[in-house]
Amino acid sequence: MIRARRILAGAAAAALITVLAACHSGSGAEAPLPELRLRATAEQWRQDEVARQLGIALHNDGDAPVWISRVEPDLPSFEGEAPVDTPALLPPNGLRVDVTVPYGTGGCTAAAEASYVTVVARVEGDTRTQRVRLALPHPNELLDRLLADDCAAETVRRSVTLRFGDWTDLGADGVRGSLVVERTAAATGTVRLHSFDGNVMYRLAYRTATPLAEVTAAAPGATLPFVASPLRCDLHAFAEVKKPFEFPVRVSLDGGRQLYTTVPVDDDDRKALDTMLRRNCGVPPAGS
């Protein structure tokens, strides 16, 4: 009797295993991943310029929402680009969402190489993620411009040092400063300063000349005195300005084309300029 029960139990177990195996084989392989119809473009808004970021505009051409969890830029002409982890929901039917990423620093090449972004994404309602490599439009006018700007700035830095000198507070008239231009040991020929501009917050007044300053092997340093005063005092400008301390210059090296760069601004420069601006505009000090 015991032997019969053991035989029946064994048969039942075998039958159960057979049924489970049949169920598993009947389910087949895991369902294929849903198709992701994504594309990407590169944009840059004013606030992105200050932080040296690109807005990667992601477009979802499918008919289901897609969640993005990571964006990885691949910009061969730039060094220091970095991925960004961010939850972003892309609506369907071609709508877009921008994810900002650092793009690093460009070298000196004629044009940006073909560039890409890789996104980690999943269709809403599906737990499985996919890595999708998307080509940015190429040639790319924006990347070419950023590359040219970085190359110009680096070329200028190799030949000349730009900095602000000491500041003198003039009360209601503003603050007196100077732009110091110094030729580097690596420079060749003559370095000329053609323009020196203020910005949306600061007006700069200085003597006009053509060029504004010039340095050579025989005279490796020059100084351009100026007075900075408020250009705007409205609170909207204070709240919205993105580049309060950017002062553009154009420099030519040994008779070549004019190259654009900006004057480095340190903490002492910021303090002198901001203190004058807020006092003369009747705006409370920063952080108060």
Side-chain angles (χ1 to χ4, degrees):
M1 187 66 176
I2 294 175
R3 177 181 175 81
R5 287 178 180 172
R6 287 176 177 171
I7 293 173
L8 289 173
L16 179 59
I17 292 172
T18 302
V19 170
L20 290 174
C23 290
H24 179 73
S25 62
S27 65
E30 187 177 23
L33 289 167
E35 179 186 8
L36 295 177
R37 296 172 56 198
L38 306 177
R39 54 190 169 90
T41 57
E43 316 286 345
Q44 191 178 58
W45 309 111
R46 186 170 295 276
Q47 63 269 22
D48 297 331
E49 294 178 15
V50 180
R52 295 189 61 83
Q53 294 181 325
L54 283 176
I56 301 300
L58 299 171
H59 304 256
N60 176 12
D61 292 326
D63 54 10
V66 172
W67 279 99
I68 302 295
S69 58
R70 184 175 174 88
V71 176
E72 302 172 359
D74 180 6
L75 312 173
S77 298
F78 296 81
E79 291 186 4
E81 72 268 46
V84 169
D85 293 312
T86 179
L89 180 62
L90 293 184
N93 304 318
L95 296 179
R96 65 181 265 188
V97 169
D98 291 358
V99 177
T100 55
V101 299
Y103 63 86
T105 302
C108 284
T109 56
E113 297 181 43
S115 300
Y116 305 84
V117 292
T118 297
V119 298
V120 179
R122 64 176 177 84
V123 173
E124 188 172 44
D126 196 313
T127 60
R128 297 168 298 172
T129 60
Q130 306 179 49
R131 289 179 58 86
V132 183
R133 183 172 167 86
L134 306 172
L136 294 175
H138 182 74
N140 195 296
E141 182 178 345
L142 172 59
L143 295 182
D144 287 348
R145 177 174 62 80
L146 295 176
L147 192 66
D149 287 349
D150 282 356
C151 180
E154 176 58 29
T155 301
V156 171
R157 281 193 294 270
R158 287 198 299 265
S159 297
V160 69
T161 299
L162 301 169
R163 62 179 175 85
F164 288 126
D166 295 334
W167 300 94
T168 302
D169 196 328
L170 302 177
D173 291 332
V175 62
R176 179 183 293 118
S178 59
L179 177 61
V180 180
V181 184
E182 296 172 319
R183 191 174 181 269
T184 69
T188 58
T190 300
V191 181
R192 294 184 175 91
L193 173 69
H194 295 275
S195 67
F196 171 41
D197 296 327
N199 54 49
V200 71
M201 301 304 295
Y202 296 95
R203 177 188 292 109
L204 303 182
Y206 49 82
R207 63 171 175 79
T208 58
T210 304
L212 295 176
E214 180 176 285
V215 292
T216 64
T223 300
L224 176 65
F226 67 90
V227 173
S229 58
L231 180 61
R232 291 180 62 177
C233 284
D234 55 288
L235 294 179
H236 176 76
F238 275 88
E240 297 298 326
V241 63
K242 299 298 188 297
K243 299 181 178 181
F245 301 111
E246 182 169 288
F247 298 93
V249 298
R250 290 191 179 274
V251 174
S252 68
L253 310 177
D254 204 21
R257 66 185 179 90
Q258 294 183 20
L259 303 174
Y260 170 92
T261 187
T262 57
V263 182
V265 179
D266 65 21
D267 290 342
D268 289 340
D269 301 331
R270 289 185 176 88
K271 183 177 179 180
L273 289 162
D274 187 65
T275 298
M276 178 279 296
L277 183 71
R278 291 176 180 273
R279 181 197 63 218
N280 289 9
C281 287
V283 174
S288 62

